[in-house]
Amino acid sequence: MNFYNIDYAYMVEVFPRILRTAPLTLGLAFSAMILGLIIATCLALTRVFKIRVLSTLTRVYISFFRGTPLLVQLFMLYYGVPQIIPSLAKMNAMTAAILGLSLHSAAYMAEIIRGAISSVEKGQMEACLSVGMTPMQAMRRVILPQATRVAVPSLANSFISLIKESSLAFTLGVAEMMAQARMSSAATYKFFENFLVALLIYWGISITIGFLQDRIEIKLNKAY
């Protein structure tokens, strides 16, 4: 195929059809990001405070989810786990995709958050304790706000990665952008055009998030 054989008219026609599923893709990624952040913060704090048993379990969790493919994790969660826990058989594909992406991304974000917390001077925690704060109060009021500024760039990259990884949700039957591109390709045999449109939309979303990331960084760095 050369550039003269590409059906540009069809690309213009199919663009809104694939773009229509973008909110589902973004909703999937955003939900997984929020849940993943909650899990990641808990994991990071167990390592920062070196809670004996929990710290060890956290290391195992991070090693497992970072050391195995996301696609296998999604399949295991949606098809495998209900075989052992029958009550989870009612879990729909969207729920399984959000949960799987959350658990996977949390393993990476936990290390980002832990690193950001570690970048804050230890003397600040000691100062907080000296004025009567508990470790958790010091973490919430002093350490985490400063760590947030450090973590934002990496967390924004994690969100972009989540958007791209959400394309695997189509393997569970979630009708997001990748699923729409595949269905359109199967119906028309115009694989190049459909997947190129999907790529351009993903790229556009990534550029937009990158722009917002820059604006957030500028705002957070004003005080410094």
Side-chain angles (χ1 to χ4, degrees):
M1 173 184 277
N2 57 49
F3 287 107
Y4 297 104
N5 291 330
I6 298 173
D7 192 340
Y8 296 103
Y10 174 77
M11 289 178 64
V12 173
E13 176 191 336
V14 81
F15 184 87
R17 196 185 311 160
I18 296 177
L19 184 63
R20 206 174 297 134
T21 58
L24 179 60
T25 295
L26 289 171
L28 178 61
F30 185 75
S31 300
M33 184 72 180
I34 296 300
L35 182 56
L37 266 176
I38 294 170
I39 298 171
T41 302
C42 295
L43 294 173
L45 290 177
T46 61
R47 294 201 62 188
V48 169
F49 288 117
K50 297 178 181 178
I51 303 172
R52 286 186 182 179
V53 178
L54 291 179
S55 183
T56 302
L57 291 175
T58 296
R59 287 176 181 272
V60 173
Y61 175 98
I62 292 173
S63 174
F64 176 80
F65 280 98
R66 291 178 66 176
T68 55
L70 174 57
L71 182 60
V72 179
Q73 293 169 16
L74 291 173
F75 277 12
M76 177 63 76
L77 182 63
Y78 190 52
Y79 298 111
V81 174
Q83 185 177 333
I84 301 172
I85 309 174
S87 59
L88 293 180
K90 296 180 180 179
M91 179 171 56
N92 60 40
M94 187 69 173
T95 302
I98 291 173
L99 186 56
L101 289 169
S102 300
L103 294 172
H104 179 81
S105 63
Y108 291 89
M109 291 192 290
E111 291 298 278
I112 292 171
I113 295 171
R114 184 179 70 85
I117 291 172
S118 299
S119 70
V120 179
E121 289 184 25
K122 293 182 180 179
Q124 297 201 37
M125 174 63 82
E126 295 170 359
C128 291
L129 297 177
S130 69
V131 297
M133 287 188 190
T134 64
M136 285 306 298
Q137 286 176 329
M139 187 64 66
R140 188 177 71 253
R141 297 175 183 176
V142 179
I143 308 300
L144 284 179
Q146 295 181 69
T148 299
R149 182 179 66 89
V150 178
V152 161
S154 296
L155 291 177
N157 290 334
S158 293
F159 183 52
I160 292 173
S161 294
L162 264 176
I163 292 172
K164 293 183 289 186
E165 289 166 350
S166 68
S167 62
L168 292 175
F170 87 91
T171 60
L172 304 184
V174 179
E176 43 71 69
M177 282 200 298
M178 187 62 180
Q180 182 60 56
R182 283 180 62 86
M183 287 188 290
S184 296
S185 298
T188 62
Y189 292 100
K190 295 183 182 294
F191 297 97
F192 183 87
E193 289 86 347
N194 280 287
F195 291 133
L196 179 57
V197 167
L199 281 172
L200 292 174
I201 294 174
Y202 277 115
W203 187 26
I205 292 172
S206 297
I207 291 172
T208 303
I209 293 171
F211 174 79
L212 293 174
Q213 173 192 336
D214 291 341
R215 301 282 77 75
I216 292 172
E217 285 184 49
I218 290 171
K219 187 173 183 179
L220 289 175
N221 288 330
K222 273 185 179 179
Y224 296 86

